C-alpha cells in the first residue's frame, strides 16, 4: 500500500529572491527515476516538509510544461516558512505532490482570459499563465491585472516585465501605496477594471489573492455579468495532511485539499461557511 | 460454518480458546483496573477479563488511530535525509467491544478509504479481529437505538457474542471469525436461542433513558434553519474543551508535528486534534475562519447531522454511545442528545428563508 504521508526528498536547485519576504525555490527530486516520472497541473500544490520543523502547503508557481524541476514561491508568515528562507541551494526538503485539483485549462480554450492577482496570489496564477501562453492561439484576448501593497511587494517582476513586452497580452499593474519610482496605477486591483475592455460573455476570469480582495473582485465580476461558473478562484485554509483526512481545511463537507483548492464561484457559493 | 450463521458455545470454552490464541494475536479485552474502572487492555489470562462493564469511557478508536502515532522517523542534516516508516504491528483481537464502537469502526473504515487510502489506518485495521459483545444492559447515557448503533448489530464484527450467562450466542460475521470459531465445539443456535436474544435486546432497548430524535435536527441543520440565537447560545455555553470530539467514536481529526529525539534524529507523528479548539483553523497569517466558539459548535453538528455528510457517509455522524453526554463540561447542555432536543423544541425557523442552503 502506498504511504500517503511519506515525503520524497527534493533538492533545492535554485533560489530567487522575489521580494524582501518572498523567495522562489526551484526543486527536483533526489530519486532520479521519481523525478523523471513526476508531473503536475496548474493549480495543484505541494506539502513541503522541513524535518524537525513541520510541513506546510504551497501552490506550484512554475510552468507544468517544463519537466525536470518545479518551483514553489514562499512568503515568510510562520515557523515553517521562516525556516525555509534559511535554506541554501543544495539543501533538501520533503515534498508530497502533486495534491489537489487543478485550473480548468482545457475547458477555458476558446475563451478570452482575465487574470486578477493580488500580492502573493500571483505565483499559482503564474503556473496557469505560462502554459496558456505556450498555447497562446488556443485562447482569445489575454488580460492580466496585478495589484500589490507597494512596488516592493510585487512577486515575479521579471516575468511581469516579460509578459508586458508581449503584444498579445494586456497587462496592468497597480499598488496600494506608490513610491517615488512608481509611474503606473495606484489603487486596489479592482480599480483597474475600468481601464480594460472585458467582455463577460466570452471570458473566463481567474483570481487569486487575499480573501478580502477575492471577495471584491468576485462582486465586480458578477456586476460585469460574468456567469458564476466562469469565475475561478482558489481557497486557502490551514492544512495539515493535504489528502482529506486531518480535517483542518474542511468547509462544509468539502475539503480544500482534495475538492479544491480551485473552485468556481458557483461551487464556493454553495459552501455553508463563507 | 458460514457467514451469517448463529452458534451456541460454552462460555468457559470460548474464553479458553481466546487465551490460547495469544501466540498469534495480542488479545485486548475489558479489564478491571485497580481504581475499579474498566479499561480495554492487553489480556493474558481468562480471570483478567471482566464482564462487569457496559462500556469504557474512552472510545476504542484508539486501537486504529492511536492518540499519538508515529508516521516516520527522520535522521540526517539539511542536505542528507533518511526517512524510516514504523514497523508493522502484531495482529490483535479486540474482545468484548460494544456495538456502538463497532459501528464507529465501520465509519472510520469508510473515512480512511477513498481517493487517498490511509495506509497507517489500514495497517492496523487489517490486523484487527473484532469479537464484539451485544449489550444486555445500557448505561443511563446510552441511546444507540436512535442511531443504528446497537444494542446488537447485523454486521461490522468478525464474531458477535450475546451473553447468555454460561453460554454465548455467536453471530458469524466474516471468514476471520469462522477461522477462530471453528477451533471449538459449537452447536447451531435454535429458534429458542434466538427468541432469548430477542427478549434480552428488547429489555435493553426499554431501559434506554436519553432520546435523540435526530430527524428534525438533521432537517433543520441541513437547510440552515436553526436560529442564529441558538448557535449564539451554544457558543456562550461551550468551553471549547474538545471533550466531545475526543470521546466520539466517529471523530477522526488529527494534527501533525515533528519532534527531535536528539540533534540529528527526530519523529513526525500525528495526534488527535479537535475542530472545537480555536487554533484548529488558525492560519499563519492570523486569519481564522472559525475563530468564534459558536462557529465551531455549528461545524461539529453540521458534520454530524447534515444531509451533505449523511449522503457522503451513508449514515449520520453518531452511534449513540452517549460518551459526549458523560464528558460535556458545559453542564450537559451540548451533547448530541441535548442539542438535538434543543433544536427540535424551539431552535429553528418555521419557514424556509432566502438564504437556505442548496444541497451540492
Amino acid at each position: 500500500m502506498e504511504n500517503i504521508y511519506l515525503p520524497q526528498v527534493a533538492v533545492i536547485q535554485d533560489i530567487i529572491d522575489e521580494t524582501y519576504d518572498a523567495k522562489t525555490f526551484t526543486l527536483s527530486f533526489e530519486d532520479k527515476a521519481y523525478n523523471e516520472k513526476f508531473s503536475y497541473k496548474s493549480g495543484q500544490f505541494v506539502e513541503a516538509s522541513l524535518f524537525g520543523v513541520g510541513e506546510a502547503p504551497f501552490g506550484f508557481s512554475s510552468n507544468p510544461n517544463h519537466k525536470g524541476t518545479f518551483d514553489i514561491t514562499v512568503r515568510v508568515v510562520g515557523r515553517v516558512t521562516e525556516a525555509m528562507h534559511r535554506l541554501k541551494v543544495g539543501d533538501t526538503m520533503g515534498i508530497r505532490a502533486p495534491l489537489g485539483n487543478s485550473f480548468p485549462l482545457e475547458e477555458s480554450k476558446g475563451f478570452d482570459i482575465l487574470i486578477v492577482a493580488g500580492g502573493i496570489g500571483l505565483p499559482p496564477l503564474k503556473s496557469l499563465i505560462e502554459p496558456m501562453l505556450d498555447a497562446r492561439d488556443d485562447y482569445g484576448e489575454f488580460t492580466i491585472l496585478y495589484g500589490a501593497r507597494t512596488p516592493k511587494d510585487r512577486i515575479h517582476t521579471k516575468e511581469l516585465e516579460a509578459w508586458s513586452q508581449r503584444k498579445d497580452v494586456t497587462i496592468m499593474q497597480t499598488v496600494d501605496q506608490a513610491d517615488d519610482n512608481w509611474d503606473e496605477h495606484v489603487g486596489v486591483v479592482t480599480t483597474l477594471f475600468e481601464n480594460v475592455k472585458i467582455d463577460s460573455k466570452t471570458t473566463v476570469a481567474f483570481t487569486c489573492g487575499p480573501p478580502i480582495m477575492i471577495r471584491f473582485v468576485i462582486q465586480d465580476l458578477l456586476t460585469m455579468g460574468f456567469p458564476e461558473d466562469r469565475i475561478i478562484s482558489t481557497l486557502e485554509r490551514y492544512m495539515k495532511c493535504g489528502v482529506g483526512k486531518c480535517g483542518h481545511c474542511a468547509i462544509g463537507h468539502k475539503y480544500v485539499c482534495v475538492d479544491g483548492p480551485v473552485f468556481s464561484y458557483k461551487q464556493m457559493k454553495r459552501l455553508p461557511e463563507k | 460454518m458460514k457467514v451469517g450463521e448463529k452458534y451456541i458455545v460454552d462460555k468457559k470454552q470460548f474464553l479458553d480458546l481466546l487465551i490460547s490464541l495469544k501466540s498469534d494475536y495480542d488479545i485486548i479485552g475489558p479489564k478491571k483496573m485497580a481504581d475499579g474502572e474498566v479499561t480495554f487492555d492487553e489480556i493474558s489470562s481468562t480471570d483478567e477479563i471482566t464482564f462487569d462493564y457496559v462500556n469504557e469511557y474512552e472510545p476504542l478508536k484508539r486501537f486504529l488511530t492511536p492518540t499519538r502515532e508515529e508516521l516516520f522517523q527522520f535522521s540526517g542534516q539539511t542536505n542528507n535525509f533518511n526517512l524510516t516508516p514504523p514497523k508493522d504491528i502484531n495482529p490483535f483481537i479486540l474482545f468484548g467491544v460494544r456495538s456502538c464502537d463497532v459501528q464507529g469502526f465501520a465509519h472510520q473504515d469508510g473515512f480512511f478509504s477513498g481517493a487517498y487510502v490511509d495506509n497507517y489506518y489500514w495497517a492496523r485495521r487489517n490486523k484487527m479481529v473484532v469479537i464484539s459483545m451485544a449489550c444486555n444492559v445500557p448505561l443511563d447515557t446510552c441511546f444507540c437505538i436512535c442511531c443504528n448503533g446497537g444494542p446488537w448489530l447485523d454486521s461490522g464484527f468478525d464474531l458477535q457474542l450475546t451473553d447468555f450467562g454460561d453460554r454465548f450466542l455467536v453471530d458469524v460475521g466474516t471468514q476471520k471469525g469462522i477461522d477462530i470459531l471453528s477451533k471449538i465445539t459449537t452447536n447451531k443456535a435454535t429458534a429458542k436461542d434466538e427468541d432469548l436474544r430477542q427478549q434480552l435486546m428488547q429489555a435493553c432497548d426499554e431501559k434506554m433513558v436519553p432520546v435523540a430524535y435526530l430527524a428534525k435536527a438533521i432537517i433543520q441543520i441541513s437547510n440552515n434553519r436553526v436560529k442564529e440565537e441558538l448557535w449564539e447560545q451554544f457558543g456562550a455555553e461551550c468551553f471549547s474543551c474538545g471533550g466531545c470530539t475526543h470521546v466520539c467514536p466517529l471523530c477522526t481529526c488529527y494534527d501533525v508535528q515533528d519532534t527531535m529525539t536528539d540533534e540529528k534524529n527526530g519523529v513526525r507523528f500525528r495526534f488527535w486534534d479537535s475542530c472545537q479548539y480555536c487554533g484548529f483553523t488558525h492560519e499563519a497569517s492570523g486569519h481564522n475562519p472559525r475563530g468564534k466558539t459558536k462557529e465551531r459548535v455549528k461545524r461539529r453538528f453540521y458534520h454530524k447531522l447534515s444531509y451533505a455528510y449523511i449522503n457522503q457517509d451513508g449514515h449520520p455522524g453518531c452511534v449513540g454511545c452517549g460518551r459526549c453526554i458523560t464528558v460535556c463540561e458545559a453542564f450537559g447542555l451540548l451533547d448530541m442528545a441535548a442539542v438535538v432536543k434543543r433544536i427540535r423544541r424551539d431552535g429553528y425557523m418555521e419557514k424556509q428563508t432566502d438564504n437556505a442552503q442548496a444541497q451540492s
Side-chain angles (χ1 to χ4, degrees), chain A residues 118-140:
Chain A
I120 194 74
L122 183 59
L125 290 172
K126 173 178 171 277
S127 175
L128 171 74
I129 294 166
E130 288 180 340
M132 281 183 159
L133 293 182
D134 284 351
R136 182 64 187 87
D137 294 347
D138 290 345
Y139 306 93

Side-chain angles (χ1 to χ4, degrees), chain B residues 3 10 29 37 68 139 164 200 255 258 300 356:
Chain B
V3 168
D10 178 73
E37 289 281 321
R68 182 189 191 279
L139 288 171
F164 280 2
L200 284 170
D255 200 355
D258 290 3
R300 177 174 153 229

Side-chain angles (χ1 to χ4, degrees), chain A residues 65-219:
Chain A
N65 293 340
H66 296 175
K67 306 288 179 204
T69 62
F70 60 90
D71 295 354
I72 54 174
T73 300
V74 179
R75 187 162 72 97
V76 174
V77 278
R79 218 161 37 88
V80 175
T81 49
E82 261 169 35
M84 282 173 86
H85 271 235
R86 288 197 290 272
L87 295 177
K88 296 179 196 64
V89 170
D91 286 347
T92 56
M93 49 177 112
I95 296 285
R96 291 187 294 129
L99 301 169
N101 69 354
S102 56
F103 286 119
L105 211 84
E106 285 299 313
E107 295 85 336
S108 304
K109 284 187 175 164
F111 284 94
D112 297 337
I113 303 297
L114 170 65
I115 307 278
V116 188
I120 194 74
L122 183 59
L125 290 172
K126 173 178 171 277
S127 175
L128 171 74
I129 294 166
E130 288 180 340
M132 281 183 159
L133 293 182
D134 284 351
R136 182 64 187 87
D137 294 347
D138 290 345
Y139 306 93
E141 296 295 322
F142 208 105
T143 309
I144 301 170
L145 308 179
Y146 183 45
R149 270 177 307 185
T150 73
K152 286 192 179 67
D153 285 288
R154 293 178 312 131
I155 314 272
H156 300 320
T157 45
K158 211 179 85 204
E159 287 80 2
L160 287 164
E161 179 56 29
W163 298 333
S164 63
Q165 296 300 320
R166 292 179 68 130
K167 294 214 162 51
D168 55 359
V169 174
T170 306
I171 176 162
M172 288 198 75
Q173 298 185 57
T174 181
V175 294
D176 297 349
Q177 277 179 319
D179 60 18
D180 294 343
N181 300 323
W182 186 254
D183 51 13
E184 292 192 53
H185 202 88
V186 178
V188 294
V189 76
T190 46
T191 59
L192 294 175
F193 283 139
E194 56 198 56
N195 299 300
V196 287
K197 230 181 83 207
I198 307 286
D199 184 353
S200 60
K201 287 186 202 66
T202 56
T203 307
V204 186
F206 296 88
T207 180
C208 195
I212 179 93
M213 182 209 92
I214 292 180
R215 201 167 337 136
F216 283 114
V217 168
I218 290 176
Q219 254 175 36

Side-chain angles (χ1 to χ4, degrees), chain B residues 67-226:
Chain B
T67 49
R68 182 189 191 279
E69 179 175 33
E70 183 185 312
L71 294 177
F72 55 85
Q73 295 183 4
F74 49 86
S75 63
Q77 285 159 328
T78 45
N79 54 5
N80 180 21
F81 266 107
N82 281 313
L83 307 180
T84 322
K87 289 193 186 71
D88 276 359
I89 60 151
N90 288 337
F92 64 104
I93 293 174
L94 207 49
F95 171 81
V97 51
R98 296 301 188 180
S99 303
C100 49
D101 282 310
V102 175
Q103 284 293 62
F105 298 153
H107 171 83
Q108 302 227 357
D109 286 354
F111 181 80
F112 285 111
S113 304
Y116 289 95
V117 177
D118 193 298
N119 52 298
Y120 291 83
Y121 175 87
W122 285 101
R124 291 174 196 280
R125 185 67 175 95
N126 290 332
K127 295 279 177 75
M128 178 169 81
V129 179
V130 177
I131 302 181
S132 68
M133 185 83 74
C135 289
N136 294 355
V137 185
L139 288 171
D140 57 10
T141 48
C142 290
F143 59 97
C144 60
I145 47 171
C146 304
C147 309
N148 193 32
W152 67 291
L153 298 174
D154 297 321
S155 64
F157 46 81
D158 295 299
L159 294 173
Q160 172 177 252
L161 309 178
T162 306
D163 195 346
F164 280 2
D166 55 354
R167 300 173 304 150
F168 286 130
L169 181 140
V170 189
D171 292 280
V172 178
T174 64
Q175 184 59 44
K176 269 188 194 172
I178 292 174
D179 293 345
I180 289 174
L181 193 62
S182 56
K183 290 183 204 285
I184 52 168
T185 321
T186 53
N187 293 307
K188 272 256 172 97
T190 61
K192 221 174 118 193
D193 296 321
E194 291 194 44
D195 276 354
L196 178 55
R197 185 207 356 233
Q198 193 54 38
Q199 283 167 31
L200 284 170
M201 293 303 115
Q202 196 168 322
C204 178
D205 185 324
E206 280 164 10
K207 283 187 205 119
M208 297 221 190
V209 185
V211 281
Y213 300 125
L214 302 183
K216 204 155 207 169
I218 288 171
I219 293 167
Q220 307 308 348
I221 285 174
S222 301
N223 291 295
N224 199 23
R225 292 211 301 253
V226 178

Side-chain angles (χ1 to χ4, degrees), chain A residues 1-9 30 49-55 75 77-79 87 90-93 96 98-100 211 236-238 240-255 258 269-274, chain B residues 71-72 74 77-81 83-85 110-114 116-120 122-123 126 252-260 268 270 273 279-285 287 289-290 295 299 302-303 308-309 312 357-360:
Chain A
M1 205 181 291
E2 194 202 347
N3 190 330
I4 57 174
Y5 300 114
L6 195 67
Q8 287 285 331
V9 174
E30 202 168 53
S49 283
L50 290 196
F51 302 113
V53 183
E55 200 175 34
R75 187 162 72 97
V77 278
R79 218 161 37 88
L87 295 177
D91 286 347
T92 56
M93 49 177 112
R96 291 187 294 129
L99 301 169
E236 276 180 25
R237 278 289 190 280
Y238 181 62
K240 279 286 176 174
C241 73
V243 290
K245 306 296 183 202
C246 78
H248 287 86
C249 71
I251 309 178
H253 73 301
K254 298 287 182 194
Y255 292 78
V258 288
K269 220 180 77 169
R270 286 182 179 175
L271 297 173
E273 298 167 276
K274 295 290 177 292
Chain B
L71 294 177
F72 55 85
F74 49 86
Q77 285 159 328
T78 45
N79 54 5
N80 180 21
F81 266 107
L83 307 180
T84 322
F111 181 80
F112 285 111
S113 304
Y116 289 95
V117 177
D118 193 298
N119 52 298
Y120 291 83
W122 285 101
N126 290 332
T252 47
C253 288
Y254 63 81
D255 200 355
V256 181
Q257 256 181 34
D258 290 3
T259 49
M260 300 303 291
R268 174 163 299 168
R270 63 173 171 187
D273 201 353
F280 190 74
T281 48
H282 191 272
E283 294 164 23
S285 65
H287 177 61
R290 282 199 289 274
E295 289 155 354
R299 164 70 199 163
Y302 184 86
H303 193 167
Y309 269 106
Q312 188 174 287
Q357 299 295 322
Q359 287 305 302
S360 49

